[in-house]
């Protein structure tokens, strides 16, 4: 009776599990005992038919793959230069040996070249025969009409096979074997050949048709294909000493290649399909999947039509499996089913109690640990050894608590790191502002007076060139200070149409007289017709100087420096490659190469800002910069910049000398502060 208050009594989970097990056992025994035999029989047949349908799909894919391979061989050969050159010269004699070699190497039975009207010029399978018109052949005609490669299974008449190769004609000839239940047919033999055929146009450089190349593989007595289907689909399975799987290709209703065996063990080539199957597959165009008597035994069979290029049904693809194996499997399954059912009922009754106890204990421990975790105890651990999903759940729970604890520690560490990094950047900003304030005034004086001297100096004065370099370098010194400020407060680039080649040459002229460059060979591979790019030349020159100076220092003043420019294939991106033969960058340093303040130089020889600023400059130009390096062999920087114009900037020509001098110093100067790449 329910207790007072009308509430239901609480039933333990162990009792619920036991009652559930017993109910399942009773229902299972009743249902399985009534319908088991019928279901097993029906499912066995259905499974056999489904397997045969899948096997037929696999066989079709194997056959299609061989046809595709033939198509690839013909198509690629038709596009080879030696063949086009020979046709253009009107003489195929120099390429005859190569065509014969290709046919033999690729295991083609036919490889033939025709002229643009379809007249045969050369047969690799029968070099002495030619001159016949093949324009009425369905594949050749399709290529002549479409100017594109085509491939299909096709029928080749006996007289045409004779011209392609007398040996092929003999291979294709099959004597018909009288077969029970086959349709009436007056012929005594079949002379036509079923071939995997492909044809492709041979086009010259102007897109004009020079001829047609066609090739193929004869299926008649080509046992390699059907044996591959059998080995792939049935994996050499055997039943009581007999191979269970077979495959066949029919030309019309005649087996032209097969691994179905006669009583004497020979292949049943020339035997024919039953009239019922022929009517369904060939005349009605529908697949046949059913049991059938094949030559000398019952098989679970699957047939489907083989169609030519124009859709005509010219043959049948067949796979079959011994029915005896499925009958044996059916009775084995029934006996195993009955034994398992009886044994399972007994074991389920005996083990249900033990299982329920183990489950409830594990669930209880999980419940307690979950409550501790909900209360904030991240050290809660569950120890369950049940070797099942409950143990997996306990291990996952333990991993979860450990992950939560680790994540909590990582978050604290990450917060501390970010705070320290922010403080460091703030100090750097303050330092940069102080340096700028202290150095800007004297630098302004140097720049102003050097410009005044330059303006008063006669153009032909021999000291003008040296003074011009002093002006430029003074501007660059002013840019050192501004570079520190730009790193924390970068300015937008002042873009204009600029010759990248000229900018690279100017950069080299600025640094090549330094002592570190005296023993460095500089090679320029600059594309002559390179279009201009809309960039800030002073900023981009700063990037070049940073990388080039770093390269010279990495080579210790001895080596080679290669500068390469090119327009990428998209027509909208210029690539600058700067390659040195220095000591390279280690693999562990590569990920940090563009980090601010990271440097591999000795203390006092770099701030670690050069490559970081270079990265920012290239990014502001909507470009990219990357590095490839090998320790001991050298480093290559790849800079890619779009050629697109900048809104509001002039688009033509180079700036005047004075304008360029005033802008060049805006970002240059952090020459020695970058990390070596």
């Amino acid at each position: 009776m329910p207790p007072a208050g009308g509430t239901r009594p609480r039933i333990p989970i162990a009792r619920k599990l036991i009652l559930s097990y017993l109910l399942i056992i009773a229902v299972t025994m009743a249902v399985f005992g009534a319908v088991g035999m019928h279901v097993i029989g029906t499912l066995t047949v259905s499974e056999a038919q489904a397997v045969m349908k899948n096997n037929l799909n696999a066989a079709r894919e194997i056959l299609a793959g061989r046809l595709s391979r033939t198509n690839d061989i013909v198509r690629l050969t038709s596009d080879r230069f030696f063949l086009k050159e020979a046709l253009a010269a009107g003489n195929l004699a120099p390429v005859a040996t190569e065509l014969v070699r290709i046919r033999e190497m690729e295991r083609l039975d036919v490889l033939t070249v025709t002229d643009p009207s379809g007249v045969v010029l050369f047969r690799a399978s029968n070099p002495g025969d030619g001159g016949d018109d093949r324009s009425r052949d369905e594949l050749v005609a399709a290529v002549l009409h479409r100017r594109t490669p085509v491939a299909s299974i096709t029928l080749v008449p006996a007289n045409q096979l004779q011209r392609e190769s007398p040996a092929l004609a003999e291979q294709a000839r099959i004597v018909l074997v009288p077969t029970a239940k086959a349709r009436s047919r007056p012929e005594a033999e079949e002379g036509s050949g079923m071939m995997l055929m492909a044809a492709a146009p041979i086009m010259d450089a102007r897109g004009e048709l020079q001829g047609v190349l066609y090739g193929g593989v004869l299926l008649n007595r080509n046992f390699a294909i059907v044996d591959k289907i059998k080995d792939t689909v049935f994996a050499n399975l055997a039943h009581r000493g007999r191979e269970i799987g077979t495959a066949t290709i029919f030309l019309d209703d005649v087996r032209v290649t097969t691994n179905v065996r006669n009583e004497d063990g020979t292949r049943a080539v020339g035997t024919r399909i039953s009239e019922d199957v022929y009517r369904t597959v060939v005349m009605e165009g529908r697949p046949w999947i059913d049991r059938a008597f094949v030559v000398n035994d019952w098989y679970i069979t699957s047939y489907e039509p083989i169609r030519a290029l124009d859709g005509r049904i010219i043959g049948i693809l067949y796979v079959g499996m011994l029915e005896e194996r499925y009958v044996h499997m059916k009775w084995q399954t029934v006996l195993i089913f009955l034994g398992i059912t009886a044994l399972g009922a007994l074991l389920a009754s005996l083990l249900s109690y033990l299982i329920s106890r183990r489950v409830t204990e594990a669930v209880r421990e999980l419940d307690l640990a979950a409550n501790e975790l909900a209360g904030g105890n991240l050290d809660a651990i569950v120890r369950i050894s049940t070797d099942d999903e409950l143990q997996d759940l306990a291990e996952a729970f333990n991993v979860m608590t450990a992950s939560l604890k680790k994540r909590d520690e990582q978050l604290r560490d990450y917060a501390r790191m970010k705070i320290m990094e922010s403080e460091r950047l703030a100090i750097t900003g303050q330092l940069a502002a102080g340096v700028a304030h202290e150095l800007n005034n004297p630098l302004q004086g140097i720049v102003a007076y050097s410009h005044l001297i330059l303006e008063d100096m006669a153009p032909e004065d021999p000291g003008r060139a040296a003074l011009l370099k002093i002006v430029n370098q003074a501007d660059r010194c002013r840019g050192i200070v501004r570079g520190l400020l730009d790193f924390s407060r970068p300015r937008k680039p002042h873009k204009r149409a600029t010759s990248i080649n000229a900018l690279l040459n100017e950069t080299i002229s600025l640094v090549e007289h330094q002592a570190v460059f005296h023993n460095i060979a500089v090679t320029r591979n600059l594309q002559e017709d390179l279009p201009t790019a809309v960039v800030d030349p002073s900023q981009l020159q700063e990037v070049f100087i940073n990388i080039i100076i770093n390269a010279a220092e990495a080579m210790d003043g001895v080596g080679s420096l290669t500068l390469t420019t090119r327009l990428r294939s998209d027509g909208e991106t210029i690539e600058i490659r700067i390659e040195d033969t220095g000591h390279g960058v280690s693999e562990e340093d590569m990920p940090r190469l563009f980090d601010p303040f990271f440097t591999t130089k000795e203390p006092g020889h770099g701030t670690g800002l050069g490559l970081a600023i270079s990265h920012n400059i290239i990014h502001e130009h909507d470009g990219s910069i990357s590095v490839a390096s090998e320790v001991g062999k050298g480093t290559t920087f790849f800079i890619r910049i779009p050629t697109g114009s900048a809104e509001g900037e002039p688009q033509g020509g180079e700036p005047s000398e004075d304008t360029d001098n005033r802008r060049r110093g805006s970002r240059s100067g952090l020459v020695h502060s970058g990390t070596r790449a």
Side-chain angles (χ1 to χ4, degrees):
M1 291 182 63
T7 59
R8 290 186 177 182
R10 188 171 184 269
I11 302 176
I13 190 171
R15 187 176 301 174
K16 289 181 179 179
L17 288 173
I18 292 174
L19 294 175
S20 299
Y21 292 153
L22 294 176
L23 179 60
I24 292 171
I25 292 169
V27 172
T28 300
M29 289 293 293
V31 174
F32 280 20
V35 301
M37 291 287 293
H38 175 73
V39 169
I40 290 174
T42 302
L43 290 179
T44 301
V45 174
S46 299
E47 179 64 17
Q49 293 179 345
V51 168
M52 292 314 301
K53 184 176 181 180
N54 292 333
N55 290 345
L56 184 62
N57 292 337
R60 184 193 317 115
E61 291 300 318
I62 293 172
L63 192 60
R66 188 65 180 88
L67 177 61
S68 176
R69 179 179 179 274
T70 302
N71 183 41
D72 290 341
I73 294 169
V74 172
R75 176 176 54 81
L76 294 175
T77 303
S78 71
D79 199 38
R80 294 184 65 177
F81 178 76
F82 78 89
L83 183 58
K84 295 181 178 182
E85 187 178 44
L87 283 174
N91 182 14
L92 288 178
V95 301
T97 302
E98 179 62 13
L99 289 174
V100 172
R101 187 191 68 81
I102 291 173
R103 184 190 71 82
E104 293 174 351
M105 182 181 66
E106 301 295 348
R107 294 180 291 180
L108 297 179
D109 294 322
V110 172
L111 188 63
T112 301
V113 182
T114 78
D115 66 12
S117 62
V119 176
V120 173
L121 299 176
F122 177 75
R123 285 188 168 94
S125 56
N126 191 7
D129 194 356
D132 53 305
D133 186 3
R134 294 287 288 146
S135 62
R136 294 182 180 276
D137 178 87
E138 60 179 350
L139 269 73
V140 175
V143 172
L144 292 175
H145 176 68
R146 305 176 190 173
R147 300 292 199 272
T148 58
V150 294
S152 176
I153 301 177
T154 186
L155 290 183
V156 181
N159 60 345
Q160 182 59 41
L161 281 175
Q162 185 69 28
R163 299 208 68 165
E164 296 292 344
S165 170
L168 287 181
E170 181 60 28
Q171 179 182 334
R173 191 177 68 85
I174 295 175
V175 177
L176 303 187
V177 178
T179 307
K181 297 185 179 181
R183 69 188 179 95
S184 176
R185 185 171 176 178
E187 298 90 353
E189 67 178 35
E190 177 63 61
S192 298
M194 179 179 283
M195 296 192 71
L196 299 172
M197 189 74 77
I202 305 172
M203 312 295 288
D204 63 15
R206 296 171 301 182
E208 298 293 332
L209 181 67
Q210 290 182 289
V212 177
L213 178 70
Y214 68 84
V217 177
L218 181 65
L219 294 177
N220 297 40
R221 289 194 173 89
N222 188 338
F223 304 123
I225 292 179
V226 291
D227 287 346
K228 181 178 180 181
I229 292 174
K230 182 194 70 173
D231 295 341
T232 303
V233 173
F234 300 103
N236 295 320
L237 291 176
H239 177 69
R240 295 181 178 178
R242 296 178 60 190
E243 292 185 343
I244 65 170
T246 55
T248 298
I249 296 175
F250 291 86
L251 191 162
D252 195 33
D253 66 344
V254 181
R255 287 182 175 88
V256 294
T257 179
T258 183
N259 41 49
V260 175
R261 302 285 178 172
N262 293 312
E263 290 288 350
D264 60 1
T266 60
R267 295 180 186 259
V269 174
T271 57
R272 298 165 60 209
I273 202 169
S274 68
E275 186 173 6
D276 291 342
V277 178
Y278 180 86
R279 185 184 305 111
T280 300
V281 180
V282 176
M283 299 182 68
E284 299 177 8
R286 296 185 291 110
W288 168 290
I289 302 176
D290 206 343
R291 65 190 300 266
F293 192 81
V294 179
V295 180
N296 53 27
D297 213 334
W298 286 97
Y299 284 76
I300 304 296
T301 61
S302 182
Y303 301 82
E304 73 171 14
I306 296 176
R307 299 180 184 272
L309 185 63
D310 59 2
R312 291 179 297 113
I313 297 175
I314 59 175
I316 301 172
L317 177 62
Y318 152 89
V319 289
M321 183 180 293
L322 275 174
E323 186 185 55
E324 179 184 348
R325 178 175 181 267
Y326 277 96
V327 173
H328 183 70
M329 288 175 57
K330 172 184 174 181
W331 287 110
Q332 276 189 328
T333 304
V334 169
L335 293 176
I336 292 173
F337 163 76
L338 293 176
I340 290 177
T341 301
L343 182 61
L346 177 61
L347 291 177
S349 300
L350 294 175
L351 296 177
S352 59
Y353 177 74
L354 297 177
I355 294 173
S356 64
R357 286 292 301 272
R358 296 191 66 186
V359 170
T360 54
E361 290 174 359
V363 170
R364 187 181 300 111
E365 187 166 349
L366 280 168
D367 180 54
L368 293 174
N371 287 331
E372 289 186 20
L373 181 63
N377 181 12
L378 297 181
D379 294 321
I381 298 292
V382 180
R383 293 181 176 85
I384 296 177
S385 300
T386 57
D387 294 327
D388 55 18
E389 289 82 359
L390 288 173
Q391 182 173 336
D392 294 340
L393 181 60
E395 292 173 354
F397 180 89
N398 293 337
V399 170
M400 179 184 68
T401 56
S403 298
L404 288 173
K405 186 175 181 179
K406 182 178 180 180
R407 180 65 58 84
D408 186 59
E409 294 173 354
Q410 289 176 340
L411 287 174
R412 287 197 296 268
D413 293 341
Y414 181 77
R416 284 195 297 267
M417 180 188 68
K418 283 299 180 181
I419 292 172
M420 293 173 65
E421 182 176 341
S422 298
E423 292 176 350
R424 182 182 181 186
L425 289 175
I427 293 172
T428 301
Q430 294 173 1
L431 177 63
V435 170
H437 179 73
E438 294 296 329
L439 295 184
N440 255 349
N441 289 334
L443 282 176
Q444 289 289 355
I446 294 173
V447 171
Y449 283 108
S450 60
H451 272 288
L452 289 174
I453 297 173
L454 184 64
E455 290 175 358
D456 295 337
M457 185 174 290
E460 65 277 4
D461 192 315
R464 182 179 178 84
L467 182 59
L468 182 60
K469 289 188 177 182
I470 292 175
V471 171
N472 292 339
Q473 296 309 308
D475 285 337
R476 286 187 56 237
C477 288
R478 183 175 57 182
I480 292 175
V481 177
R482 187 171 300 171
L484 287 170
L485 293 174
D486 285 347
F487 178 73
S488 58
R489 190 182 56 210
R491 67 173 179 83
K492 291 293 181 181
H494 299 292
K495 298 181 181 179
R496 63 177 182 271
T498 303
S499 169
I500 298 300
N501 289 346
L503 195 60
L504 273 173
N505 286 326
E506 181 184 349
T507 303
I508 289 297
S509 70
L510 288 175
V511 300
E512 63 184 350
H513 297 297
Q514 297 183 21
V516 73
F517 279 89
H518 288 174
N519 294 316
I520 293 177
V522 180
T523 303
R524 297 174 174 90
N525 298 323
L526 309 181
Q527 182 175 328
E528 293 184 359
D529 58 347
L530 195 70
T532 60
V534 179
V535 299
D536 185 324
S538 64
Q539 289 189 355
L540 199 57
Q541 188 177 62
E542 177 184 350
V543 175
F544 293 159
I545 290 176
N546 268 325
I547 296 175
I548 290 171
I549 293 296
N550 282 347
E553 293 177 350
M555 294 184 285
D556 297 324
V558 179
S560 63
L561 179 69
T562 303
L563 307 178
T564 304
T565 61
R566 70 182 182 98
L567 183 65
R568 289 170 60 85
S569 58
D570 60 8
E572 298 178 354
T573 305
I574 294 175
E575 181 178 271
I576 305 103
R577 188 169 63 211
I578 303 175
E579 182 177 3
D580 65 58
T581 57
H583 52 65
V585 181
S586 65
E587 185 175 345
E588 57 269 19
D589 287 342
M590 287 290 285
R592 304 176 56 196
L593 210 56
F594 296 104
D595 289 353
F597 307 109
F598 175 74
T599 179
T600 59
K601 298 178 182 179
E602 296 179 358
H605 290 79
T607 64
L609 285 174
L611 288 183
I613 292 177
S614 298
H615 182 275
N616 290 344
I617 291 173
I618 298 302
H619 182 266
E620 285 294 324
H621 283 76
D622 298 321
S624 66
I625 180 170
S626 58
V627 185
S629 183
E630 186 173 351
V631 175
K633 293 189 176 180
T635 301
T636 302
F637 276 81
F638 299 90
I639 301 171
R640 298 181 178 92
I641 299 175
T643 60
S645 63
E647 183 176 351
E649 295 293 340
Q651 301 301 311
E654 290 294 330
S656 67
E657 180 181 284
D658 291 341
T659 302
D660 192 35
N661 290 337
R662 284 195 300 272
R663 291 184 176 180
R664 184 176 292 120
S666 63
R667 268 191 176 269
S668 58
L670 292 175
V671 173
H672 300 284
S673 62
T675 302
R676 173 67 211 123

